mmCIF file of all heavy atoms in Angstrom:
data_model
loop_
_atom_site.group_PDB
_atom_site.id
_atom_site.type_symbol
_atom_site.label_atom_id
_atom_site.label_comp_id
_atom_site.label_asym_id
_atom_site.label_seq_id
_atom_site.Cartn_x
_atom_site.Cartn_y
_atom_site.Cartn_z
ATOM 1 N N PHE A 558 0.849 -1.176 0.000
ATOM 2 C CA PHE A 558 0.000 0.000 0.000
ATOM 3 C C PHE A 558 0.889 1.231 0.000
ATOM 4 O O PHE A 558 2.082 1.143 0.281
ATOM 5 C CB PHE A 558 -0.914 0.015 1.235
ATOM 6 C CG PHE A 558 -1.933 -1.089 1.253
ATOM 7 C CD1 PHE A 558 -1.577 -2.383 1.582
ATOM 8 C CD2 PHE A 558 -3.262 -0.818 0.941
ATOM 9 C CE1 PHE A 558 -2.517 -3.401 1.598
ATOM 10 C CE2 PHE A 558 -4.213 -1.830 0.958
ATOM 11 C CZ PHE A 558 -3.834 -3.119 1.285
ATOM 12 N N ARG A 559 0.315 2.374 -0.312
ATOM 13 C CA ARG A 559 1.088 3.613 -0.270
ATOM 14 C C ARG A 559 0.213 4.759 0.214
ATOM 15 O O ARG A 559 -1.007 4.732 0.092
ATOM 16 C CB ARG A 559 1.681 3.943 -1.642
ATOM 17 C CG ARG A 559 0.659 4.288 -2.717
ATOM 18 C CD ARG A 559 1.342 4.434 -4.066
ATOM 19 N NE ARG A 559 0.413 4.817 -5.120
ATOM 20 C CZ ARG A 559 0.732 4.909 -6.399
ATOM 21 N NH1 ARG A 559 1.980 4.637 -6.792
ATOM 22 N NH2 ARG A 559 -0.175 5.269 -7.297
ATOM 23 N N GLN A 560 0.865 5.775 0.761
ATOM 24 C CA GLN A 560 0.145 6.936 1.256
ATOM 25 C C GLN A 560 0.953 8.196 0.985
ATOM 26 O O GLN A 560 2.080 8.339 1.456
ATOM 27 C CB GLN A 560 -0.140 6.806 2.752
ATOM 28 C CG GLN A 560 -1.027 7.904 3.307
ATOM 29 C CD GLN A 560 -1.519 7.591 4.711
ATOM 30 O OE1 GLN A 560 -0.920 6.795 5.429
ATOM 31 N NE2 GLN A 560 -2.622 8.212 5.101
ATOM 32 N N ALA A 561 0.365 9.110 0.222
ATOM 33 C CA ALA A 561 0.976 10.395 -0.070
ATOM 34 C C ALA A 561 0.474 11.413 0.950
ATOM 35 O O ALA A 561 -0.598 11.238 1.541
ATOM 36 C CB ALA A 561 0.636 10.842 -1.486
ATOM 37 N N PRO A 562 1.221 12.495 1.174
ATOM 38 C CA PRO A 562 0.791 13.521 2.136
ATOM 39 C C PRO A 562 -0.606 14.042 1.829
ATOM 40 O O PRO A 562 -0.905 14.407 0.692
ATOM 41 C CB PRO A 562 1.842 14.619 1.969
ATOM 42 C CG PRO A 562 3.061 13.891 1.516
ATOM 43 C CD PRO A 562 2.537 12.825 0.598
ATOM 44 N N GLY A 563 -1.466 14.060 2.840
ATOM 45 C CA GLY A 563 -2.814 14.565 2.674
ATOM 46 C C GLY A 563 -3.761 13.620 1.971
ATOM 47 O O GLY A 563 -4.917 13.978 1.724
ATOM 48 N N LYS A 564 -3.294 12.422 1.657
ATOM 49 C CA LYS A 564 -4.124 11.450 0.947
ATOM 50 C C LYS A 564 -4.399 10.225 1.807
ATOM 51 O O LYS A 564 -3.675 9.940 2.757
ATOM 52 C CB LYS A 564 -3.439 11.005 -0.349
ATOM 53 C CG LYS A 564 -3.090 12.123 -1.312
ATOM 54 C CD LYS A 564 -4.331 12.750 -1.910
ATOM 55 C CE LYS A 564 -3.960 13.787 -2.956
ATOM 56 N NZ LYS A 564 -5.166 14.404 -3.562
ATOM 57 N N GLU A 565 -5.456 9.508 1.467
ATOM 58 C CA GLU A 565 -5.764 8.252 2.133
ATOM 59 C C GLU A 565 -4.785 7.183 1.670
ATOM 60 O O GLU A 565 -4.258 7.240 0.560
ATOM 61 C CB GLU A 565 -7.190 7.813 1.803
ATOM 62 C CG GLU A 565 -8.274 8.635 2.474
ATOM 63 C CD GLU A 565 -8.374 8.334 3.948
ATOM 64 O OE1 GLU A 565 -8.519 7.152 4.322
ATOM 65 O OE2 GLU A 565 -8.302 9.284 4.745
ATOM 66 N N ARG A 566 -4.534 6.220 2.534
ATOM 67 C CA ARG A 566 -3.698 5.102 2.146
ATOM 68 C C ARG A 566 -4.418 4.334 1.034
ATOM 69 O O ARG A 566 -5.617 4.074 1.117
ATOM 70 C CB ARG A 566 -3.427 4.182 3.341
ATOM 71 C CG ARG A 566 -2.444 3.066 3.050
ATOM 72 C CD ARG A 566 -2.040 2.334 4.326
ATOM 73 N NE ARG A 566 -1.353 3.221 5.255
ATOM 74 C CZ ARG A 566 -0.791 2.813 6.385
ATOM 75 N NH1 ARG A 566 -0.830 1.528 6.727
ATOM 76 N NH2 ARG A 566 -0.200 3.691 7.177
ATOM 77 N N GLU A 567 -3.690 3.977 -0.012
ATOM 78 C CA GLU A 567 -4.296 3.299 -1.137
ATOM 79 C C GLU A 567 -3.589 1.986 -1.459
ATOM 80 O O GLU A 567 -2.391 1.827 -1.249
ATOM 81 C CB GLU A 567 -4.315 4.197 -2.381
ATOM 82 C CG GLU A 567 -2.938 4.550 -2.922
ATOM 83 C CD GLU A 567 -3.009 5.320 -4.233
ATOM 84 O OE1 GLU A 567 -4.045 5.234 -4.927
ATOM 85 O OE2 GLU A 567 -2.019 6.010 -4.564
ATOM 86 N N PHE A 568 -4.354 1.075 -1.997
ATOM 87 C CA PHE A 568 -3.843 -0.227 -2.385
ATOM 88 C C PHE A 568 -2.950 -0.119 -3.610
ATOM 89 O O PHE A 568 -3.218 0.666 -4.522
ATOM 90 C CB PHE A 568 -5.019 -1.164 -2.676
ATOM 91 C CG PHE A 568 -4.623 -2.435 -3.363
ATOM 92 C CD1 PHE A 568 -4.030 -3.471 -2.665
ATOM 93 C CD2 PHE A 568 -4.849 -2.601 -4.721
ATOM 94 C CE1 PHE A 568 -3.664 -4.652 -3.296
ATOM 95 C CE2 PHE A 568 -4.500 -3.769 -5.364
ATOM 96 C CZ PHE A 568 -3.900 -4.799 -4.643
ATOM 97 N N VAL A 569 -1.891 -0.931 -3.635
ATOM 98 C CA VAL A 569 -0.968 -0.952 -4.763
ATOM 99 C C VAL A 569 -0.923 -2.329 -5.418
ATOM 100 O O VAL A 569 -1.156 -2.464 -6.615
ATOM 101 C CB VAL A 569 0.458 -0.545 -4.339
ATOM 102 C CG1 VAL A 569 1.426 -0.693 -5.507
ATOM 103 C CG2 VAL A 569 0.469 0.888 -3.820
ATOM 104 N N ALA A 570 -0.604 -3.359 -4.631
ATOM 105 C CA ALA A 570 -0.445 -4.700 -5.187
ATOM 106 C C ALA A 570 -0.682 -5.756 -4.122
ATOM 107 O O ALA A 570 -0.477 -5.510 -2.933
ATOM 108 C CB ALA A 570 0.962 -4.875 -5.783
ATOM 109 N N ALA A 571 -1.106 -6.949 -4.544
ATOM 110 C CA ALA A 571 -1.356 -8.046 -3.615
ATOM 111 C C ALA A 571 -0.913 -9.372 -4.206
ATOM 112 O O ALA A 571 -0.912 -9.562 -5.421
ATOM 113 C CB ALA A 571 -2.840 -8.112 -3.255
ATOM 114 N N LEU A 572 -0.541 -10.292 -3.321
ATOM 115 C CA LEU A 572 -0.115 -11.634 -3.692
ATOM 116 C C LEU A 572 -0.811 -12.624 -2.776
ATOM 117 O O LEU A 572 -0.839 -12.446 -1.566
ATOM 118 C CB LEU A 572 1.405 -11.760 -3.560
ATOM 119 C CG LEU A 572 2.037 -13.106 -3.920
ATOM 120 C CD1 LEU A 572 1.964 -13.342 -5.425
ATOM 121 C CD2 LEU A 572 3.492 -13.139 -3.457
ATOM 122 N N SER A 573 -1.371 -13.692 -3.351
ATOM 123 C CA SER A 573 -2.062 -14.697 -2.560
ATOM 124 C C SER A 573 -1.083 -15.521 -1.734
ATOM 125 O O SER A 573 0.120 -15.550 -2.006
ATOM 126 C CB SER A 573 -2.874 -15.623 -3.465
ATOM 127 O OG SER A 573 -2.019 -16.367 -4.322
ATOM 128 N N ARG A 574 -1.615 -16.216 -0.721
ATOM 129 C CA ARG A 574 -0.773 -17.052 0.129
ATOM 130 C C ARG A 574 -0.070 -18.138 -0.681
ATOM 131 O O ARG A 574 1.080 -18.487 -0.397
ATOM 132 C CB ARG A 574 -1.607 -17.676 1.251
ATOM 133 C CG ARG A 574 -0.794 -18.480 2.255
ATOM 134 C CD ARG A 574 -1.593 -18.799 3.498
ATOM 135 N NE ARG A 574 -2.721 -19.682 3.219
ATOM 136 C CZ ARG A 574 -3.610 -20.066 4.125
ATOM 137 N NH1 ARG A 574 -3.512 -19.621 5.380
ATOM 138 N NH2 ARG A 574 -4.606 -20.868 3.789
ATOM 139 N N SER A 575 -0.752 -18.652 -1.684
ATOM 140 C CA SER A 575 -0.185 -19.687 -2.537
ATOM 141 C C SER A 575 0.910 -19.145 -3.457
ATOM 142 O O SER A 575 1.717 -19.904 -3.989
ATOM 143 C CB SER A 575 -1.272 -20.337 -3.380
ATOM 144 O OG SER A 575 -1.788 -19.428 -4.330
ATOM 145 N N GLY A 576 0.916 -17.832 -3.657
ATOM 146 C CA GLY A 576 1.868 -17.216 -4.562
ATOM 147 C C GLY A 576 1.456 -17.288 -6.015
ATOM 148 O O GLY A 576 2.218 -16.877 -6.896
ATOM 149 N N GLU A 577 0.263 -17.792 -6.272
ATOM 150 C CA GLU A 577 -0.194 -18.007 -7.641
ATOM 151 C C GLU A 577 -1.050 -16.878 -8.202
ATOM 152 O O GLU A 577 -1.248 -16.798 -9.414
ATOM 153 C CB GLU A 577 -0.987 -19.316 -7.730
ATOM 154 C CG GLU A 577 -0.174 -20.552 -7.373
ATOM 155 C CD GLU A 577 -1.000 -21.815 -7.372
ATOM 156 O OE1 GLU A 577 -2.234 -21.719 -7.515
ATOM 157 O OE2 GLU A 577 -0.417 -22.903 -7.222
ATOM 158 N N THR A 578 -1.546 -16.012 -7.334
ATOM 159 C CA THR A 578 -2.446 -14.951 -7.776
ATOM 160 C C THR A 578 -1.923 -13.584 -7.382
ATOM 161 O O THR A 578 -1.498 -13.385 -6.244
ATOM 162 C CB THR A 578 -3.850 -15.141 -7.181
ATOM 163 O OG1 THR A 578 -4.346 -16.434 -7.540
ATOM 164 C CG2 THR A 578 -4.806 -14.080 -7.700
ATOM 165 N N THR A 579 -1.944 -12.651 -8.321
ATOM 166 C CA THR A 579 -1.561 -11.270 -8.054
ATOM 167 C C THR A 579 -2.674 -10.337 -8.498
ATOM 168 O O THR A 579 -3.501 -10.689 -9.336
ATOM 169 C CB THR A 579 -0.266 -10.879 -8.783
ATOM 170 O OG1 THR A 579 -0.440 -11.049 -10.198
ATOM 171 C CG2 THR A 579 0.900 -11.731 -8.311
ATOM 172 N N TYR A 580 -2.666 -9.142 -7.928
ATOM 173 C CA TYR A 580 -3.654 -8.136 -8.278
ATOM 174 C C TYR A 580 -3.021 -6.772 -8.081
ATOM 175 O O TYR A 580 -2.348 -6.524 -7.080
ATOM 176 C CB TYR A 580 -4.905 -8.290 -7.417
ATOM 177 C CG TYR A 580 -5.977 -7.264 -7.689
ATOM 178 C CD1 TYR A 580 -6.583 -7.184 -8.937
ATOM 179 C CD2 TYR A 580 -6.389 -6.376 -6.697
ATOM 180 C CE1 TYR A 580 -7.567 -6.245 -9.197
ATOM 181 C CE2 TYR A 580 -7.370 -5.435 -6.942
ATOM 182 C CZ TYR A 580 -7.959 -5.381 -8.199
ATOM 183 O OH TYR A 580 -8.945 -4.450 -8.450
ATOM 184 N N TYR A 581 -3.244 -5.861 -9.040
ATOM 185 C CA TYR A 581 -2.641 -4.540 -8.998
ATOM 186 C C TYR A 581 -3.689 -3.453 -9.190
ATOM 187 O O TYR A 581 -4.690 -3.648 -9.883
ATOM 188 C CB TYR A 581 -1.586 -4.389 -10.091
ATOM 189 C CG TYR A 581 -0.459 -5.387 -10.006
ATOM 190 C CD1 TYR A 581 -0.540 -6.612 -10.667
ATOM 191 C CD2 TYR A 581 0.686 -5.104 -9.268
ATOM 192 C CE1 TYR A 581 0.490 -7.528 -10.589
ATOM 193 C CE2 TYR A 581 1.724 -6.018 -9.189
ATOM 194 C CZ TYR A 581 1.622 -7.227 -9.847
ATOM 195 O OH TYR A 581 2.652 -8.132 -9.768
ATOM 196 N N SER A 582 -3.432 -2.300 -8.598
ATOM 197 C CA SER A 582 -4.287 -1.160 -8.857
ATOM 198 C C SER A 582 -4.078 -0.728 -10.308
ATOM 199 O O SER A 582 -3.013 -0.963 -10.889
ATOM 200 C CB SER A 582 -3.963 -0.003 -7.909
ATOM 201 O OG SER A 582 -2.685 0.533 -8.184
ATOM 202 N N ASN A 583 -5.087 -0.100 -10.885
ATOM 203 C CA ASN A 583 -4.986 0.319 -12.276
ATOM 204 C C ASN A 583 -3.840 1.309 -12.505
ATOM 205 O O ASN A 583 -3.242 1.328 -13.584
ATOM 206 C CB ASN A 583 -6.302 0.938 -12.739
ATOM 207 C CG ASN A 583 -7.415 -0.080 -12.868
ATOM 208 O OD1 ASN A 583 -7.168 -1.256 -13.109
ATOM 209 N ND2 ASN A 583 -8.645 0.377 -12.711
ATOM 210 N N SER A 584 -3.521 2.099 -11.503
ATOM 211 C CA SER A 584 -2.500 3.117 -11.654
ATOM 212 C C SER A 584 -1.086 2.550 -11.769
ATOM 213 O O SER A 584 -0.191 3.229 -12.272
ATOM 214 C CB SER A 584 -2.557 4.115 -10.498
ATOM 215 O OG SER A 584 -2.300 3.479 -9.262
ATOM 216 N N VAL A 585 -0.871 1.316 -11.305
ATOM 217 C CA VAL A 585 0.470 0.732 -11.339
ATOM 218 C C VAL A 585 0.563 -0.517 -12.201
ATOM 219 O O VAL A 585 1.671 -0.998 -12.473
ATOM 220 C CB VAL A 585 0.987 0.396 -9.920
ATOM 221 C CG1 VAL A 585 0.872 1.610 -9.015
ATOM 222 C CG2 VAL A 585 0.239 -0.792 -9.337
ATOM 223 N N LYS A 586 -0.559 -1.046 -12.635
ATOM 224 C CA LYS A 586 -0.567 -2.269 -13.430
ATOM 225 C C LYS A 586 0.280 -2.093 -14.681
ATOM 226 O O LYS A 586 0.155 -1.118 -15.404
ATOM 227 C CB LYS A 586 -1.995 -2.647 -13.801
ATOM 228 C CG LYS A 586 -2.126 -4.055 -14.361
ATOM 229 C CD LYS A 586 -3.587 -4.448 -14.520
ATOM 230 C CE LYS A 586 -3.726 -5.894 -14.953
ATOM 231 N NZ LYS A 586 -5.152 -6.297 -15.061
ATOM 232 N N GLY A 587 1.164 -3.066 -14.917
ATOM 233 C CA GLY A 587 2.054 -3.005 -16.057
ATOM 234 C C GLY A 587 3.389 -2.366 -15.744
ATOM 235 O O GLY A 587 4.331 -2.478 -16.534
ATOM 236 N N ARG A 588 3.486 -1.693 -14.595
ATOM 237 C CA ARG A 588 4.722 -1.030 -14.193
ATOM 238 C C ARG A 588 5.329 -1.654 -12.934
ATOM 239 O O ARG A 588 6.547 -1.696 -12.798
ATOM 240 C CB ARG A 588 4.488 0.461 -13.943
ATOM 241 C CG ARG A 588 3.992 1.223 -15.164
ATOM 242 C CD ARG A 588 3.959 2.728 -14.890
ATOM 243 N NE ARG A 588 3.030 3.073 -13.822
ATOM 244 C CZ ARG A 588 3.373 3.700 -12.698
ATOM 245 N NH1 ARG A 588 4.639 4.061 -12.489
ATOM 246 N NH2 ARG A 588 2.452 3.993 -11.780
ATOM 247 N N PHE A 589 4.490 -2.105 -12.011
ATOM 248 C CA PHE A 589 4.946 -2.681 -10.745
ATOM 249 C C PHE A 589 4.736 -4.187 -10.738
ATOM 250 O O PHE A 589 3.797 -4.703 -11.356
ATOM 251 C CB PHE A 589 4.173 -2.090 -9.563
ATOM 252 C CG PHE A 589 4.446 -0.634 -9.284
ATOM 253 C CD1 PHE A 589 5.201 0.150 -10.150
ATOM 254 C CD2 PHE A 589 3.943 -0.046 -8.134
ATOM 255 C CE1 PHE A 589 5.438 1.484 -9.888
ATOM 256 C CE2 PHE A 589 4.177 1.290 -7.860
ATOM 257 C CZ PHE A 589 4.920 2.057 -8.737
ATOM 258 N N THR A 590 5.595 -4.897 -9.997
ATOM 259 C CA THR A 590 5.478 -6.342 -9.852
ATOM 260 C C THR A 590 5.722 -6.744 -8.404
ATOM 261 O O THR A 590 6.749 -6.383 -7.827
ATOM 262 C CB THR A 590 6.480 -7.084 -10.755
ATOM 263 O OG1 THR A 590 6.280 -6.708 -12.121
ATOM 264 C CG2 THR A 590 6.293 -8.588 -10.627
ATOM 265 N N ILE A 591 4.791 -7.489 -7.824
ATOM 266 C CA ILE A 591 4.951 -8.004 -6.475
ATOM 267 C C ILE A 591 5.435 -9.445 -6.563
ATOM 268 O O ILE A 591 4.993 -10.212 -7.419
ATOM 269 C CB ILE A 591 3.626 -7.919 -5.678
ATOM 270 C CG1 ILE A 591 3.847 -8.341 -4.221
ATOM 271 C CG2 ILE A 591 2.533 -8.745 -6.330
ATOM 272 C CD1 ILE A 591 2.632 -8.099 -3.330
ATOM 273 N N SER A 592 6.364 -9.822 -5.688
ATOM 274 C CA SER A 592 6.902 -11.175 -5.693
ATOM 275 C C SER A 592 7.354 -11.583 -4.299
ATOM 276 O O SER A 592 7.517 -10.744 -3.420
ATOM 277 C CB SER A 592 8.062 -11.298 -6.680
ATOM 278 O OG SER A 592 9.136 -10.449 -6.307
ATOM 279 N N ARG A 593 7.565 -12.879 -4.110
ATOM 280 C CA ARG A 593 8.003 -13.418 -2.828
ATOM 281 C C ARG A 593 9.207 -14.316 -3.018
ATOM 282 O O ARG A 593 9.237 -15.144 -3.934
ATOM 283 C CB ARG A 593 6.845 -14.200 -2.181
ATOM 284 C CG ARG A 593 7.085 -14.635 -0.749
ATOM 285 C CD ARG A 593 5.874 -15.382 -0.227
ATOM 286 N NE ARG A 593 5.764 -16.708 -0.805
ATOM 287 C CZ ARG A 593 4.616 -17.359 -0.989
ATOM 288 N NH1 ARG A 593 3.467 -16.784 -0.653
ATOM 289 N NH2 ARG A 593 4.622 -18.577 -1.514
ATOM 290 N N ASP A 594 10.196 -14.163 -2.152
ATOM 291 C CA ASP A 594 11.395 -14.995 -2.156
ATOM 292 C C ASP A 594 11.368 -15.824 -0.876
ATOM 293 O O ASP A 594 11.683 -15.318 0.202
ATOM 294 C CB ASP A 594 12.653 -14.134 -2.218
ATOM 295 C CG ASP A 594 13.921 -14.945 -2.385
ATOM 296 O OD1 ASP A 594 13.969 -16.102 -1.920
ATOM 297 O OD2 ASP A 594 14.881 -14.425 -2.989
ATOM 298 N N ASP A 595 10.978 -17.094 -0.984
ATOM 299 C CA ASP A 595 10.835 -17.935 0.198
ATOM 300 C C ASP A 595 12.167 -18.206 0.904
ATOM 301 O O ASP A 595 12.210 -18.334 2.125
ATOM 302 C CB ASP A 595 10.173 -19.262 -0.179
ATOM 303 C CG ASP A 595 8.728 -19.099 -0.582
ATOM 304 O OD1 ASP A 595 8.084 -18.124 -0.140
ATOM 305 O OD2 ASP A 595 8.219 -19.954 -1.339
ATOM 306 N N ALA A 596 13.253 -18.306 0.139
ATOM 307 C CA ALA A 596 14.562 -18.567 0.731
ATOM 308 C C ALA A 596 14.998 -17.426 1.646
ATOM 309 O O ALA A 596 15.598 -17.652 2.699
ATOM 310 C CB ALA A 596 15.602 -18.795 -0.362
ATOM 311 N N LYS A 597 14.719 -16.202 1.239
ATOM 312 C CA LYS A 597 15.080 -15.027 2.029
ATOM 313 C C LYS A 597 13.952 -14.570 2.943
ATOM 314 O O LYS A 597 14.141 -13.665 3.759
ATOM 315 C CB LYS A 597 15.490 -13.882 1.108
ATOM 316 C CG LYS A 597 16.711 -14.166 0.258
ATOM 317 C CD LYS A 597 17.045 -12.984 -0.637
ATOM 318 C CE LYS A 597 18.269 -13.254 -1.479
ATOM 319 N NZ LYS A 597 18.593 -12.107 -2.374
ATOM 320 N N ASN A 598 12.790 -15.175 2.788
ATOM 321 C CA ASN A 598 11.600 -14.798 3.547
ATOM 322 C C ASN A 598 11.313 -13.300 3.396
ATOM 323 O O ASN A 598 11.133 -12.576 4.379
ATOM 324 C CB ASN A 598 11.739 -15.163 5.027
ATOM 325 C CG ASN A 598 10.399 -15.205 5.741
ATOM 326 O OD1 ASN A 598 9.374 -15.528 5.151
ATOM 327 N ND2 ASN A 598 10.402 -14.877 7.036
#
């Protein structure tokens, strides 16, 4: 999530527990990528 000064906190990206599903806000889709590294936790 992210929050700019004077703004409400907004959603950016999400990853399911399984690691198989992602979801992005329209403002960042195609530019941002969420990922998990299990070895480094």
Side-chain angles (χ1 to χ4, degrees):
F558 294 77
R559 67 187 182 185
Q560 187 168 22
K564 303 292 185 180
E565 288 287 306
R566 186 170 297 186
E567 65 174 338
F568 168 77
V569 175
L572 180 70
S573 65
R574 185 167 65 183
S575 68
E577 298 176 353
T578 303
T579 59
Y580 179 62
Y581 301 90
S582 68
N583 290 333
S584 62
V585 308
K586 193 172 185 178
R588 299 187 297 121
F589 292 8
T590 303
I591 185 172
S592 62
R593 189 180 73 209
D594 187 330
D595 292 334
K597 298 179 179 179
N598 198 31

